[in-house]
Amino acid sequence: MTARQTLPIPRLSLWLTHAGMLAERVMRAFWPFFSVLMAILAALMLGLQDEVRVEIVWAVGSVALLGLLATLILGIRRFHLPTRAEALMRLDEALPGRPIQALMDDQAIGAADSDSVALWHAHQNRMAQRVAQAEPVKPDLRLADRDPYALRYSALLALVIAAMFGSFWRIGSVAEMTPGAAVAGQGPSWEGWVEPPRYTGLPTLYLADQSDPTLTVPQGSRITLRFYGEVGAHSLTETTTPLGKEAATEPEQDFTVQRSGELTIDGPSGRAWALNIVADTPPQVAVDGAAESEAGGQMKLPFAASDDYGVVSGAAVIELDLASVDRRYGLTAAPEPREVIQVELPMPITGDRADFTEDLIEDFSQHPWAHLPVKITLMARDAADQEGQSEPFMTALPARRFFDPLAAAVIEQRRDLLWTRDNATRVAQMLRAVSHLPEDLFRSDTAYLRLRVILRRLETFNEYGLKPEQQAEIAEALWELGLLIEDGTLADALERMRRAQERLTEAMQNGASDEEIAELMQELREATEDYMRQLQRLAQENGEFDQNQQGQNGETMQMTQDDLQRMMDRIQELMEQGRMAEAQQALEEFQRMMENMRVTQGQGQGQQSEGQQAMEGLAETLREQQGLSDQAFRDLQEQFNPGAQAGENQGNEGRSGGQGRGQSHEGQGGQGQQGAEDGAGQQGQGSLADRQQALRDELNRQQQGLPGAGTPEGDAARDALDRAGRAMEGAEEALRSDDLAEAIDRQSEAMEALREGMRSLGEALAQNQQNQPGQGAQDGDMQANNRDPLGRSPGANGTISTDENLLQGEDVYRRARELLDEIRRRTGETDRPQIELEYLKRLLERF
């Protein structure tokens, strides 16, 4: 013992190791006891004993107590207190070399040898140092091998839930459920609860804890009472139900309060309360603003609803206000009976429904009551199935508005036909009168033909008696016709822009809403952009370049994209502010300006510099070479797939180089020769070879007067054009030997060399302009006139597009997003040519 007491073991490490061993043995021995105890406490704290009969409670309780006693005895038998020696052994096992055991050992041999004794003491000193640094050993509390089903964790989870949602004081109710204990202790007893309806969200009240003589509870609350002890010791008297109860002595009482009254428990521990019932008021709902028509024609009706405990659902009932209808024209006859419109009111998805505002959005554009006086009644329902109604709201039923006079007339006849089938004859007469002289009225032959077909069907149906299903069919056809006329299918960009301006003018005269104005302004913006693009393309294709377009003041008119956007923004702002006269004047000025706009593309070919003429000549040669290459490719396809040329030509129409075209310009090889192709069929290879030879000769002629001689860029351009000439010569030889595949390869090399030469020539011209200061003003004037309809200068270096940024100003990001959306929309249109779809996909992959 003396040796053990002098061991240099840290006391804290030894004590913690000993405590860990104690906890380890307690858990291994008593985990069943703790699990049963936690399960019993959880059941009692949750009040499960109050939900079943007394006999069941005590039967289950007896089994639980026996299980608790059995697990306790089993745990005591398994449990052994850890000794200090066991703690030392646990600590020693965790140290390298068993130093504690080494310190407790004695030297067995060599005690008389001083060297051996010195070695022994040195060894013990090293062991003592290890013992002094000993750390406490962590206990092993894992019980998975003893509790493979984790019952202890289930019991712990139940106890945690009971602690969160139950009450520890409910355990005492078990003692009150014993008749003998009640008599022996405090005599007969009782307990009760008041449970409000679930939708109120209010908590349950324990009656024994309610010291206030007046209880305020919601209507429909459920009261539950239980009497313990001798039957008749306690009785109930209440006046909160229609029949009430007088001195009821049943052990269990259960009733739902409907009105204010008295609740009295007579007996040794009796109590009395005055119950004040809070009635559940019906929900309230009302229209919270004027009914408006959104841009797409949907009705937007704001409303507000409230309830003391929350609105569950609602509906809007729309009835025709026949007394307020202007009974003229097609509405003179008595209307056919039609059911009222009933739609569900939108409810908030999240948040409180006790008081909220929402918008009812529905589209009634195709309903016969569109734009007619109606009476709208809103209804709301709460969880108690009570219903509240709003005051009738009188308004014209909002729907889509048609600003085109012809479309508006068609929709009006559709309304008259749906009003009553007796109007069929009148509607047919009106449609026949509208289509009598279609030349100046219909902008689309399709719309006129569809109107005539609808008219014939209507007259045929009416001759044999118009039936309801035929009435619906004609109404649907008239609606589609109205949309066709209103939206239009105009292919010409200028006509589309004029059409958008006319619709905007009609909207201003008819007092359109802000949403409709915004939609029509967006349509005008798109039509204007389309017109500008079309104007530029046609000018480039036809070479129709006017001189400086003079305005009324004689100055050059040159509009940029930002200028157009600002003008249209100003028009929209004036309309939204209600300044219709100023907006109309601004719109007329905008219309005149757009109609008088022309492309200002230089002062004519005679005034172009030598370098510009050379660039244009090379560009024309490149386009003609592209056309020849495309024709050779079609001939190659015809060899492997006879009879497919017609379909291929149709598919290539509009492509770059299709039908003898190149870069959207017609070259020599795409005009005169193409007419022969159309008349006599496919040309032979000899004809293509002759055209290739003529094109090579033209390139040789252009190389004679090429500017930029002596400069690195000019020499690079001449080298590239020499390679293009040799490639054209190889293509000519391949065409004469009927080797179309080889010819196409050589033509591709020629086009690539031509592009490289044009780039080098453009660099040479730009370098030459920088080296000639006197040419700055002249070139600047020339570049100022050589612009597209948006006022941008064309590109250099052999490019046809502009070098300037298309997106400028404050609207860059919005315009970029719109361009991406338009590219995605066109990519989804599968009827577009395959080459265009591939190009659009490449744009999406890049941006």
Side-chain angles (χ1 to χ4, degrees):
M1 294 297 294
T2 303
R4 292 180 183 176
Q5 293 176 355
T6 59
L7 290 175
I9 302 175
R11 291 186 178 182
L12 181 60
S13 298
L14 181 60
W15 183 83
L16 291 177
T17 303
H18 191 274
M21 294 180 65
L22 178 62
E24 180 180 318
R25 295 189 179 185
V26 169
M27 290 301 299
R28 291 181 178 181
F30 293 100
W31 74 264
F33 172 77
F34 293 147
S35 300
V36 175
L37 180 61
M38 288 188 294
I40 295 174
L41 290 177
L44 295 177
M45 292 171 64
L46 289 173
L48 299 182
Q49 68 276 11
D50 299 330
E51 303 298 328
V52 296
R53 299 182 59 180
V54 177
E55 294 79 2
I56 298 177
V57 172
W58 287 108
V60 174
S62 300
V63 175
L65 289 177
L66 290 176
L68 190 65
L69 181 60
T71 55
L72 178 60
I73 295 173
L74 181 62
I76 293 174
R77 294 183 59 184
R78 292 178 177 177
F79 179 73
H80 297 286
L81 280 173
T83 63
R84 186 177 184 274
E86 292 174 338
L88 286 173
M89 294 302 295
R90 173 70 65 87
L91 191 61
D92 192 27
E93 292 174 354
L95 296 174
R98 295 292 187 97
I100 297 178
Q101 185 64 42
L103 291 176
M104 297 174 65
D105 291 342
D106 296 328
Q107 186 175 5
I109 60 175
D113 187 0
S114 59
D115 294 337
S116 177
V117 171
L119 181 60
W120 175 253
H121 286 307
H123 172 67
Q124 285 196 323
N125 288 336
R126 287 197 301 270
M127 295 298 103
Q129 292 177 1
R130 292 183 182 179
V131 171
Q133 298 175 359
E135 297 291 336
V137 180
K138 296 181 180 180
D140 183 10
L141 301 179
R142 293 176 298 176
L143 301 175
D145 55 339
R146 292 175 171 80
D147 182 18
Y149 299 104
L151 299 178
R152 63 193 185 282
Y153 291 132
S154 301
L156 178 61
L157 176 62
L159 183 61
V160 172
I161 295 175
M164 294 175 60
F165 302 103
S167 174
F168 184 77
W169 303 108
R170 303 191 72 171
I171 299 177
S173 64
V174 178
E176 300 174 357
M177 300 175 68
T178 307
V183 173
Q186 59 181 4
S189 62
W190 60 270
E191 60 180 350
W193 302 267
V194 179
E195 300 178 23
R198 288 185 179 273
Y199 63 82
T200 62
L202 298 177
T204 299
L205 301 178
Y206 188 59
L207 277 176
D209 296 339
Q210 307 304 314
S211 58
D212 195 334
T214 301
L215 291 180
T216 301
V217 297
Q219 185 178 8
S221 298
R222 177 186 177 189
I223 296 181
T224 303
L225 293 173
R226 289 180 180 173
F227 296 149
Y228 307 119
E230 184 181 353
V231 177
H234 287 96
S235 62
L236 168 67
T237 301
E238 57 89 10
T239 59
T240 60
T241 56
L243 299 178
K245 292 185 178 181
E246 183 71 25
T249 59
E250 290 81 1
E252 292 188 6
Q253 304 286 339
D254 191 341
F255 59 95
T256 301
V257 297
Q258 299 294 336
R259 60 190 179 187
S260 300
E262 300 291 333
L263 174 63
T264 304
I265 300 177
D266 296 320
S269 56
R271 297 278 298 276
W273 296 271
L275 294 183
N276 183 22
I277 303 303
V278 179
D280 188 350
T281 59
Q284 297 181 357
V285 61
V287 177
D288 196 32
E292 300 177 352
S293 176
E294 293 194 327
Q298 299 94 338
M299 180 192 74
K300 179 181 179 181
L301 180 65
F303 68 93
S306 62
D307 186 65
D308 42 8
Y309 300 115
V311 179
V312 174
S313 62
V317 178
I318 304 176
E319 304 176 77
L320 178 65
D321 187 9
L322 190 59
S324 302
V325 176
D326 187 6
R327 305 293 294 276
R328 293 188 300 171
Y329 310 119
L331 304 180
T332 304
E336 295 179 354
R338 195 173 294 275
E339 295 182 357
V340 299
I341 305 173
Q342 183 167 348
V343 294
E344 293 292 329
L345 291 180
M347 295 289 115
I349 299 177
T350 60
D352 188 14
R353 293 189 180 183
D355 190 1
F356 64 92
T357 57
E358 278 287 347
D359 294 328
L360 172 62
I361 300 179
E362 291 288 340
D363 191 357
F364 300 109
S365 300
Q366 300 188 48
H367 198 275
W369 297 345
H371 300 296
L372 293 181
V374 294
K375 178 176 64 175
I376 302 178
T377 304
L378 304 182
M379 296 183 296
R381 188 177 301 275
D382 62 7
D385 206 25
Q386 299 183 105
E387 188 175 271
Q389 291 188 358
S390 67
E391 294 292 331
F393 179 72
M394 306 297 183
T395 183
L397 186 61
R400 173 168 181 168
R401 302 178 65 179
F402 289 81
F403 298 104
D404 184 278
L406 179 58
V410 171
I411 297 302
E412 181 180 353
Q413 298 310 308
R414 173 184 179 274
R415 181 205 63 186
D416 294 345
L417 181 63
L418 291 176
W419 181 262
T420 176
R421 280 172 287 170
D422 296 339
N423 285 334
T425 302
R426 181 181 181 278
V427 170
Q429 293 173 350
M430 294 295 295
L431 294 179
R432 184 168 291 279
V434 166
S435 60
H436 177 57
L437 296 175
E439 291 79 9
D440 298 331
L441 187 60
F442 287 86
R443 296 181 177 86
S444 169
D445 293 340
T446 303
Y448 170 71
L449 294 176
R450 290 182 65 173
L451 177 61
R452 298 297 297 182
V453 171
I454 296 172
L455 176 60
R456 293 191 188 97
R457 291 182 63 83
L458 176 60
E459 291 176 341
T460 303
F461 291 155
N462 190 38
E463 182 179 356
Y464 296 98
L466 187 64
K467 297 180 174 57
E469 57 273 13
Q470 297 170 346
Q471 178 191 30
E473 177 187 343
I474 297 298
E476 180 66 23
L478 289 175
W479 175 260
E480 294 178 357
L481 176 61
L483 292 180
L484 175 63
I485 298 174
E486 177 74 9
D487 296 337
T489 57
L490 304 175
D492 183 72
L494 177 60
E495 183 63 22
R496 182 185 172 204
M497 186 182 66
R498 290 174 177 171
R499 181 80 184 106
Q501 293 170 351
E502 292 176 3
R503 292 186 63 192
L504 188 57
T505 302
E506 291 287 341
M508 287 190 291
Q509 295 176 354
N510 296 336
S513 62
D514 293 343
E515 291 81 3
E516 292 169 334
I517 289 176
E519 182 184 18
L520 294 175
M521 281 302 303
Q522 181 62 27
E523 181 181 347
L524 178 59
R525 295 176 198 270
E526 295 175 356
T528 303
E529 294 174 2
D530 189 17
Y531 170 65
M532 299 293 288
R533 289 192 298 266
Q534 183 76 359
L535 185 63
Q536 180 185 8
R537 184 182 65 81
L538 293 177
Q540 290 177 349
E541 288 183 356
N542 301 329
E544 297 176 354
F545 304 125
D546 294 344
Q547 295 184 355
N548 294 339
Q549 180 67 26
Q550 302 294 327
Q552 295 178 359
N553 55 1
E555 298 179 356
T556 300
M557 294 183 61
Q558 187 178 91
M559 299 296 297
T560 65
Q561 183 70 17
D562 289 340
D563 295 332
L564 296 177
Q565 289 293 339
R566 281 193 291 270
M567 290 185 66
M568 288 187 283
D569 291 341
R570 179 58 178 167
I571 294 173
Q572 183 174 358
E573 181 181 356
L574 291 174
M575 288 189 293
E576 291 176 350
Q577 293 176 357
R579 300 157 64 180
M580 294 300 175
E582 299 179 33
Q584 180 69 28
Q585 182 179 0
L587 182 61
E588 292 175 357
E589 294 177 359
F590 177 79
Q591 184 173 359
R592 286 195 299 270
M593 181 198 69
M594 296 302 297
E595 291 178 353
N596 294 330
M597 181 171 290
R598 296 293 183 269
V599 177
T600 59
Q601 194 78 7
Q603 300 296 325
Q605 298 295 336
Q607 300 180 3
Q608 288 184 341
S609 66
E610 182 182 0
Q612 290 177 329
Q613 293 178 4
M615 289 291 292
E616 291 188 2
L618 291 176
E620 184 67 21
T621 302
L622 177 61
R623 288 191 287 269
E624 293 177 2
Q625 181 62 76
Q626 180 69 60
L628 287 175
S629 179
D630 289 346
Q631 183 61 48
F633 180 74
R634 287 195 294 273
D635 292 347
L636 181 63
Q637 285 184 315
E638 180 66 19
Q639 289 183 0
F640 293 98
N641 188 12
Q645 183 179 5
E648 184 66 25
N649 289 345
Q650 183 178 2
N652 286 336
E653 187 173 343
R655 301 182 187 179
S656 176
Q659 299 293 345
R661 301 173 186 262
Q663 298 285 349
S664 74
H665 289 262
E666 294 182 358
Q668 295 175 0
Q671 291 179 346
Q673 300 290 346
Q674 187 62 33
E677 288 176 14
D678 296 338
Q682 180 183 358
Q683 293 183 340
Q685 283 78 19
S687 178
L688 287 178
D690 294 340
R691 292 167 59 188
Q692 186 68 70
Q693 180 183 3
L695 192 59
R696 180 170 58 86
D697 295 340
E698 175 64 20
L699 179 62
N700 292 333
R701 185 193 63 79
Q702 292 172 349
Q703 287 181 266
Q704 300 302 321
L706 201 66
T711 63
E713 294 82 2
D715 294 341
R718 284 171 169 76
D719 293 341
L721 295 181
D722 287 339
R723 292 197 307 271
R726 290 193 296 270
M728 288 183 180
E729 184 178 1
E732 177 189 349
E733 294 176 358
L735 289 173
R736 296 193 186 280
S737 60
D738 296 339
D739 190 354
L740 291 176
E742 179 67 18
I744 293 173
D745 292 339
R746 300 288 77 77
Q747 288 171 341
S748 299
E749 295 177 3
M751 288 186 290
E752 182 61 30
L754 279 172
R755 293 189 183 98
E756 183 178 349
M758 293 175 65
R759 285 194 295 269
S760 299
L761 180 60
E763 294 175 358
L765 294 177
Q767 186 71 22
N768 187 28
Q769 291 176 359
Q770 293 179 1
N771 296 332
Q772 297 179 3
Q775 299 294 329
Q778 180 180 358
D779 294 341
D781 295 338
M782 185 175 298
Q783 291 180 2
N785 294 327
N786 190 20
R787 295 177 180 270
D788 64 6
L790 298 181
R792 300 172 299 169
S793 299
N797 301 334
T799 61
I800 299 177
S801 60
T802 177
D803 289 338
E804 298 181 8
N805 291 330
L806 177 63
L807 300 178
Q808 299 177 352
E810 301 176 356
D811 220 15
V812 173
Y813 299 105
R814 180 188 65 82
R815 182 59 180 156
R817 185 173 62 253
E818 291 178 354
L819 287 175
L820 277 177
D821 293 340
E822 179 65 18
I823 292 174
R824 294 190 182 97
R825 184 187 66 80
R826 295 190 180 187
T827 305
E829 297 178 355
T830 57
D831 56 341
R832 290 182 176 274
Q834 185 63 29
I835 190 173
E836 181 179 355
L837 293 176
E838 293 175 356
Y839 173 68
L840 293 174
K841 290 179 181 178
R842 289 197 299 272
L843 286 179
L844 289 178
E845 292 174 357
R846 181 175 181 182
F847 299 104

